[in-house]
Amino acid sequence: MRIDTDQPVRLADYQPTAFAIDTVHLIFRLEADRTEVTAVLKVHARDARDAGPPLVLDGDGLKLKRVSLDGAVLDPADYTATPDMLSIHTIPDRPFELAIETTLDPESNTKLMGLYRSNGTWCTQCEAEGFRCITYFLDRPDVLSVYTVRIEAPAALAPVLLSNGNLAEDGLLEDGRHYAVWHDPWPKPCYLFALVAGDLAAVKDSFTTRSGKAVELGIYVEHGNEDRVAYAMDALKRSMRWDEEVFGLEYDLDVFNIVAVSDFNMGAMENKGLNIFNDKYVLASPDVATDQDYAGIEGVIAHEYFHNWTGNRITCRDWFQLCLKEGLTVFRDQEFSSDMRSRPVKRIADVRTLRSQQFPEDGGPLAHPVRPEVYKEINNFYTATVYEKGAEVIRMLKTLIGDDAFKAGMDLYFKRHDGDAATIEDFIVCFAETSGRDLSGFSRWYSQAGTPTVEVTEHYDAAARRYRLTFVQTVPPTPGQAVKAPAVIPVRFGLVGSNGADMGYDSASGAEVRGDVVVLTEKHHEVVFEGVAEKPVPSLFRQFSAPVKPQIAMPPSDLTFLMRHDRDAFNRWQSASTLAMTMLIAGSHTARNGGDPQVDGSYLDALCDTVGDNRLDPAFRALMLAIPGENDVAREIGENVDPDAIAIAHRAVKAALGSRLAPVLEAALAEAGNTGPYSPDAANAGRRSLVNASIDLLAATGRAEALQRAADHYAGASNMTDRVAALSTLVHRNAPGAEAALNTFIERYGDVPLVVDKWLSIQATAPSPATLDRVKALTEHPLFSFGNPNRTRALVWSFANMNPTQFARPDGEGFLFVAVAVRLLDDRNPQVAARLMTSFRSWRSYEPGRRTRAEAALKRIAEKASLSRDVSDILERTLA
Ligand code: TRP
Ligand code: ZN
């Protein structure tokens, strides 16, 4: 393993730069085999007294051609240049102009950071520290400059030339070359710089802001994909309108462009006025995209657009503040999707994501606070904790201070910090002011890692008409944080009476109660309600009001009661999940000891009643059918995990559901079965999710006619949603016809890479001992490439994260396969390699046999002669 000599970066060490860069003029001369970049920086010392020290700029693998100061070429004695740093020794004590010329090789850039080529298109990715792969710079988010960018390129190779801001000028040059000049009037950090040049098709539209400003909208895609951008364009316009209506925020340039590229490390990037997207989050038509794809596009288009204010107009002082833009922007995109679709359905989906992605992170060796205090590699902190838990913290803040103070606090934040590189403290103080509350306790959500548990017990005194809830919270220790202070936890609640309606009470004492929210601030709280007419059933953490693990001592009959009656849809679903989880855990232990898992009849009865209630939203009924996944069960069990035992229990519960609910599922199919002409809207998609969940559960019984029904559904599918749902049911049940279906699928869609990904994932997640060999074979398939992050995620990441029994094969071969893939990817694309490595984050919770195998696989990675900082950082923390 590489000896790690890199010093970690610490929040506590923050210092502003001695120099500011006021303007940046960039000239890119793009050629087929190399690119020349000239960067002209106007620099001044922030404080005249600081004019003395040398100016040290960041680089990453750069080749310097020439550097001049105020027009005079510098002698090599005047500076030190390495690929990773440029230090100018003597600096004049007045503002000066530095011109730096570098030569790049975008063609061979496989890391997909800085300037690279994707299917022939030149494009950039600068967040977090990619700008330093283009030129030497103060590559940190608190250095804000006004950019002017001139791009020169062969007109035939790159008829389209784009950068941030507004187009200032374009024209022809000699030798078939042409140029464009873009100017962005808004000062920005370099991570928001972007350039795109290529032969792309443009789809144009326009949007008029509420103050009457016309904005030209463009979505750029590879030729042939023009007919797959309509949904993204519509989502963009809806996002722009929504941000005006809900947050009062308008767009601020003449153009807003989006470019879809097929090689991209993440989902998308919010570069000012020029968002660059993984094409997965742009391209859709009913024949190639699923309902889930459409929802993803809507959410990511909104997310990147919303960054224009939360991220771009107000950016981050340093990368420790990443959640300032990411958590807040996720919160905003979640709210947008809730308004566009069904709020409870969106909430349930978001909570499932939080539990499956963030909870294991928070409970394992990679746990870190929403605002970390130290990092070795910032790329490894684009995590579920920063994004998803970061959004939960904003949501709790709103719950805690109320809608009005929250709205006023957001307004104040935009007014006070527009144009700033801000911190979490700057943000929080706005809400402290508008709410008049002391938010210092609440702020611990930013500094303490770990998912709190909240134990709740109840007591009812009929004679005194008094009802008491006792809450005890525990924040578990996490790496580097042995001892925790109590968290401030808003518990949204209702006391449900025997008629199913929420009951009133005369008074509440103990913890603070504001409306329907109890605010826990201490380790231990007792809330006493007076004047409670009968013993209520408590409905706690409604809407999942805090990212905690509630442990509520409650009889199963209370949970089935809430499944049927709670007016909070989230808790109806949660009650069903809690019951299913209890059975799955018990069933796993039974299976481990060779017994048969049992399923509780009253749970099945209550499920029949809810799923059979056709006054309820079909999408919600489909979610009621989705029992916790095998990984969820493993996480709850927490130690000595045996994925095979969990899989047996999981199959048993699904089979019991399939047979017991059969009449209800048949009725649902009859009711929702004909979903009519395809539309990606929530109502139409919801009916499909109920149909597909029903078909899958019926097939879980293994009955021949149920498997035949899935085969018919596949053959008769008229959209990609039904087609992949049916295909996955067939393949995962190893049904007759599964192989033939896989073949017809790839014959038909082999030329659509985003659909190839679905084909790869379905095979990678089949719970069969034959899967590993198949996955290995697929890595050699002509349609697969380790060079493309989407293909790699579809095959290898899916195998490692969504196939618990085969990744954790008892012989360790699944672990080894992923370890070898990490080693291979490490040289090519460290970011993707490091992300794949996080699949091992829960390795210590396996039973001893698998734990030993997982450790051996991790050591295989550690043995590699040289490891990227990305992978070695994750590896060190995983093994620590
Ligand atoms: N800021 C991007 C977002 O919207 C995240 C991102 C895109 C990113 N590409 C990246 C982060 C590359 C690190 C590296 O969330
Ligand atoms: Zn973001």
Side-chain angles (χ1 to χ4, degrees):
M1 184 164 132
R2 130 191 219 280
I3 316 282
D4 201 345
T5 52
D6 290 336
Q7 286 306 303
V9 184
R10 291 179 196 283
L11 170 58
D13 292 343
Y14 175 82
Q15 291 283 341
T17 55
F19 295 93
I21 303 175
D22 305 303
T23 64
V24 179
H25 277 79
L26 294 169
I27 304 171
F28 286 84
R29 291 182 201 85
L30 303 173
E31 276 160 55
D33 55 346
R34 78 199 155 119
T35 294
E36 314 253 278
V37 182
T38 303
V40 181
L41 320 177
K42 285 215 162 79
V43 186
H44 77 266
R46 289 191 197 270
D47 183 327
R49 287 163 303 181
D50 287 338
L55 172 62
V56 182
L57 302 176
D58 305 300
D60 185 351
L62 287 175
K63 241 193 266 167
L64 179 67
K65 228 176 92 186
R66 187 162 44 195
V67 52
S68 11
L69 204 154
D70 285 336
V73 175
L74 289 185
D75 188 89
D78 299 334
Y79 61 88
T80 308
T82 72
D84 301 339
M85 184 270 294
L86 173 64
S87 170
I88 313 285
H89 300 158
T90 334
I91 297 294
D93 59 358
R94 52 176 161 74
F96 60 95
E97 197 179 271
L98 197 64
I100 302 166
E101 293 174 55
T102 50
T103 310
L104 309 181
D105 182 7
E107 204 67 44
S108 61
N109 179 347
T110 57
K111 296 181 165 62
L112 314 184
M113 290 300 283
L115 179 69
Y116 65 97
R117 286 186 90 173
S118 175
N119 278 350
T121 298
W122 281 277
C123 61
T124 56
Q125 171 57 39
C126 292
E127 188 176 7
E129 295 177 336
F131 194 73
R132 62 182 68 181
C133 306
I134 293 172
T135 189
Y136 294 100
F137 204 74
L138 293 175
D139 187 358
R140 37 188 284 175
D142 59 348
V143 174
L144 276 63
S145 325
V146 172
Y147 284 67
T148 306
V149 181
R150 178 184 168 97
I151 313 166
E152 301 178 6
L157 283 182
V160 172
L161 304 175
L162 303 172
S163 189
N164 315 89
N166 302 316
L167 181 67
E169 195 192 328
D170 57 5
L172 294 176
L173 298 166
E174 284 165 14
D175 302 330
R177 295 172 65 80
H178 72 154
Y179 75 96
V181 179
W182 289 82
H183 177 73
D184 179 3
W186 299 101
K188 65 169 176 288
C190 65
Y191 82 85
L192 291 172
F193 162 78
L195 169 155
V196 172
D199 186 4
L200 298 170
V203 175
K204 296 284 180 82
D205 206 326
S206 67
F207 180 85
T208 306
T209 70
R210 67 171 178 186
S211 67
K213 201 169 125 74
V215 183
E216 189 184 300
L217 310 177
I219 300 186
Y220 291 82
V221 295
E222 284 171 20
H223 291 283
N225 282 331
E226 298 90 321
D227 56 351
R228 291 184 178 148
V229 301
Y231 187 78
M233 185 65 89
D234 184 58
L236 173 61
K237 291 188 284 184
R238 285 185 282 121
S239 305
M240 296 177 86
R241 189 63 71 209
W242 186 90
D243 215 11
E244 292 181 345
E245 286 168 356
V246 177
F247 282 89
L249 301 170
E250 261 185 69
Y251 189 61
D252 54 5
L253 288 166
D254 304 339
V255 291
F256 185 77
N257 285 323
I258 289 175
V259 179
V261 299
S262 37
D263 302 271
F264 201 73
N265 282 347
M266 307 269 280
M269 180 62 212
E270 70 265 24
N271 318 297
K272 183 80 187 190
L274 178 57
N275 290 358
I276 300 183
F277 272 63
N278 185 325
D279 57 4
K280 173 179 167 56
Y281 293 110
V282 175
L283 303 177
S285 54
D287 55 329
V288 301
T290 62
D291 294 328
Q292 208 190 333
D293 294 330
Y294 279 98
I297 290 169
E298 181 174 77
V300 178
I301 290 270
H303 180 95
E304 306 310 330
Y305 175 73
F306 296 157
H307 267 314
N308 191 54
W309 276 92
T310 48
N312 302 2
R313 287 287 286 262
I314 305 179
T315 192
C316 301
R317 188 191 71 172
D318 53 70
W319 290 121
F320 295 102
Q321 321 294 328
L322 184 57
C323 63
L324 177 71
K325 74 178 177 81
E326 295 304 347
L328 179 54
T329 305
V330 171
F331 170 77
R332 277 151 53 68
D333 82 56
Q334 290 175 343
E335 285 299 290
F336 168 74
S337 293
S338 299
D339 285 351
M340 296 294 124
R341 292 164 180 257
S342 150
R343 183 164 284 269
V345 167
K346 173 66 177 157
R347 187 65 187 139
I348 293 166
D350 288 341
V351 172
R352 290 178 73 186
T353 309
L354 185 82
R355 288 191 177 132
S356 73
Q357 305 301 319
Q358 200 276 327
F359 278 23
E361 185 168 272
D362 226 357
L366 301 180
H368 54 274
V370 170
R371 182 174 67 180
E373 278 155 31
V374 54
Y375 64 74
K376 280 195 168 166
E377 172 52 66
I378 187 58
N379 286 331
N380 288 337
F381 285 85
Y382 287 76
T383 59
T385 298
V386 170
Y387 277 65
E388 265 69 40
K389 188 175 180 180
E392 292 300 319
V393 174
I394 308 276
R395 190 172 296 283
M396 279 191 287
L397 177 63
K398 182 168 189 264
T399 304
L400 195 64
I401 68 177
D403 293 357
D404 294 342
F406 181 76
K407 172 88 178 74
M410 287 301 307
D411 291 346
L412 179 59
Y413 174 64
F414 292 122
K415 189 160 163 266
R416 182 179 289 171
H417 291 291
D418 188 9
D420 289 353
T423 62
I424 288 298
E425 284 77 7
D426 294 333
F427 177 75
I428 289 293
V429 80
C430 293
F431 299 90
E433 285 180 29
T434 60
S435 68
R437 288 179 77 99
D438 174 2
L439 294 176
S440 51
F442 178 78
S443 298
R444 284 201 282 273
W445 280 106
Y446 285 101
S447 56
Q448 288 195 154
T451 311
T453 55
V454 181
E455 256 181 272
V456 192
T457 45
E458 57 171 351
H459 176 79
Y460 182 65
D461 180 340
R465 292 163 42 98
R466 179 179 298 136
Y467 181 65
R468 189 177 67 218
L469 284 171
T470 307
F471 298 88
V472 180
Q473 61 158 299
T474 314
V475 190
T478 48
Q481 295 185 330
V483 185
K484 305 286 169 84
V488 174
I489 299 175
V491 185
R492 196 183 292 282
F493 74 100
L495 305 180
V496 187
S498 53
N499 64 355
D502 281 12
M503 297 165 67
Y505 52 87
D506 297 337
S507 66
S509 60
E512 181 190 7
V513 179
R514 315 172 77 240
D516 63 349
V517 178
V518 178
V519 183
L520 308 178
T521 53
E522 306 293 330
K523 179 166 177 55
H524 182 279
H525 263 305
E526 255 183 28
V527 186
V528 179
F529 299 91
E530 304 285 351
V532 180
E534 57 173 330
K535 187 208 159 295
V537 175
S539 171
L540 303 173
F541 295 98
R542 281 181 165 172
Q543 297 166 36
F544 196 67
S545 60
V548 302
K549 296 181 178 174
Q551 289 169 353
I552 311 175
M554 231 172 154
S557 57
D558 279 3
L559 289 167
T560 52
F561 178 81
L562 292 179
M563 278 173 73
R564 290 191 172 93
H565 301 296
D566 202 322
R567 67 183 183 87
D568 182 63
F570 177 83
N571 265 1
R572 290 184 78 169
W573 173 83
Q574 181 59 60
S575 303
S577 279
T578 304
L579 281 168
M581 181 61 87
T582 308
M583 286 181 314
L584 287 162
I585 292 172
S588 303
H589 293 312
T590 309
R592 187 104 217 261
N593 299 320
D596 281 337
Q598 300 302 306
V599 182
D600 173 13
S602 64
Y603 160 74
L604 292 172
D605 290 344
L607 205 56
C608 279
D609 289 351
T610 5
V611 176
D613 183 349
N614 59 18
R615 293 163 307 179
L616 295 173
D617 180 359
F620 174 74
R621 291 150 68 200
L623 286 170
M624 290 297 281
L625 292 172
I627 60 169
E630 291 160 59
N631 287 333
D632 294 307
V633 180
R635 187 186 66 242
E636 288 301 310
I637 292 176
E639 54 185 22
N640 273 312
V641 167
D642 174 356
D644 287 322
I646 295 173
I648 291 169
H650 202 263
R651 268 200 301 278
V653 173
K654 278 189 83 170
L657 256 63
S659 53
R660 177 59 199 282
L661 268 68
V664 169
L665 300 176
E666 294 290 352
L669 284 171
E671 166 210 334
N674 181 6
T675 54
Y678 184 90
S679 151
D681 68 75
N684 199 252
R687 287 200 289 280
R688 268 186 300 281
S689 61
L690 181 56
V691 166
N692 288 316
S694 300
I695 289 174
D696 188 61
L697 268 187
L698 288 167
T701 61
R703 290 181 196 141
E705 69 275 13
L707 296 176
Q708 186 56 45
R709 158 140 31 196
D712 294 345
H713 194 51
Y714 176 75
S718 61
N719 57 73
M720 188 52 77
T721 306
D722 291 342
R723 195 170 289 118
V724 297
L727 182 62
S728 128
T729 295
L730 292 172
V731 172
H732 292 180
R733 309 245 160 264
N734 208 3
E739 286 304 316
L742 280 168
N743 291 335
T744 60
F745 189 89
I746 202 61
E747 274 160 32
R748 188 159 165 194
Y749 297 105
D751 59 347
V752 189
L754 295 172
V755 185
V756 172
D757 289 343
K758 302 177 194 307
W759 182 76
L760 293 171
S761 285
I762 288 173
Q763 297 176 81
T765 53
S768 150
T771 292
L772 178 60
D773 283 340
R774 179 181 283 242
V775 170
K776 286 180 179 169
L778 284 168
T779 61
E780 310 281 326
H781 195 284
L783 292 173
F784 178 82
S785 160
F786 274 111
N788 179 281
N790 287 358
R791 293 309 88 72
T792 304
R793 276 187 286 264
L795 187 65
V796 191
W797 190 91
S798 299
F799 173 76
N801 289 273
M802 293 157 68
N803 197 341
T805 58
Q806 302 314 303
F807 173 54
R809 282 163 58 118
D811 64 5
E813 291 295 323
F815 295 141
L816 264 186
F817 166 72
V818 176
V820 169
V822 169
R823 284 174 62 126
L824 193 142
L825 281 161
D826 183 58
D827 293 320
R828 186 189 269 278
N829 190 329
Q831 257 182 66
V832 172
R835 196 150 289 247
L836 180 59
M837 249 222 84
T838 64
S839 315
F840 286 96
R841 64 190 170 195
S842 302
W843 70 277
R844 279 187 210 274
S845 52
Y846 289 120
E847 48 78 28
R850 286 175 174 86
R851 204 185 310 151
T852 308
R853 306 285 188 189
E855 189 169 18
L858 288 165
K859 299 241 156 92
R860 263 299 273 285
I861 300 173
E863 281 159 13
K864 184 168 175 270
S866 76
L867 277 179
S868 65
R869 182 164 58 202
D870 305 61
V871 168
S872 60
D873 169 41
I874 299 282
L875 187 60
E876 276 171 24
R877 288 190 281 141
T878 304
L879 284 169

Coordinates of all heavy atoms in Angstrom, one line a residue, residues 2 71 398 418 478 523 633 845:
R2 N 0.4 2.2 -0.6 CA 1.1 3.5 -0.7 C 1.3 4.1 0.7 O 0.3 4.1 1.5 CB 0.3 4.4 -1.7 CG 0.0 5.7 -1.3 CD -1.0 6.2 -2.3 NE -0.8 7.6 -2.6 CZ -1.2 8.6 -1.8 NH1 -1.8 8.4 -0.7 NH2 -1.0 9.9 -2.2
G71 N 3.0 41.1 -18.5 CA 3.4 41.1 -19.9 C 4.9 40.6 -20.1 O 5.3 40.3 -21.2
K398 N -36.9 23.4 9.8 CA -38.2 24.0 9.5 C -39.3 23.5 10.4 O -40.2 24.3 10.9 CB -38.5 23.5 8.0 CG -39.8 24.0 7.4 CD -39.9 23.7 5.9 CE -41.0 24.4 5.2 NZ -42.2 23.5 5.1
D418 N -25.9 37.0 -0.4 CA -25.8 37.0 -1.9 C -24.3 37.5 -2.2 O -23.9 38.5 -1.8 CB -26.8 37.9 -2.5 CG -26.8 37.7 -4.0 OD1 -26.2 36.8 -4.6 OD2 -27.5 38.5 -4.7
T478 N -18.9 7.2 17.2 CA -18.5 7.1 15.8 C -17.0 7.4 15.8 O -16.4 7.9 16.7 CB -19.3 8.0 14.9 OG1 -19.2 9.3 15.5 CG2 -20.7 7.6 14.7
K523 N -31.2 14.1 27.1 CA -31.1 12.6 27.0 C -32.4 11.9 27.4 O -32.9 11.0 26.8 CB -30.0 12.1 27.8 CG -29.8 10.6 27.8 CD -28.5 10.1 28.3 CE -28.4 8.5 28.3 NZ -28.6 7.9 27.0
V633 N -32.7 -5.3 6.6 CA -32.7 -6.3 7.7 C -31.3 -6.5 8.3 O -31.1 -6.5 9.5 CB -33.3 -7.6 7.2 CG1 -33.4 -8.7 8.3 CG2 -34.7 -7.4 6.6
S845 N -19.8 -6.3 10.2 CA -21.1 -6.8 10.8 C -21.4 -8.2 10.3 O -22.4 -8.8 10.7 CB -22.2 -5.8 10.6 OG -22.3 -5.4 9.3

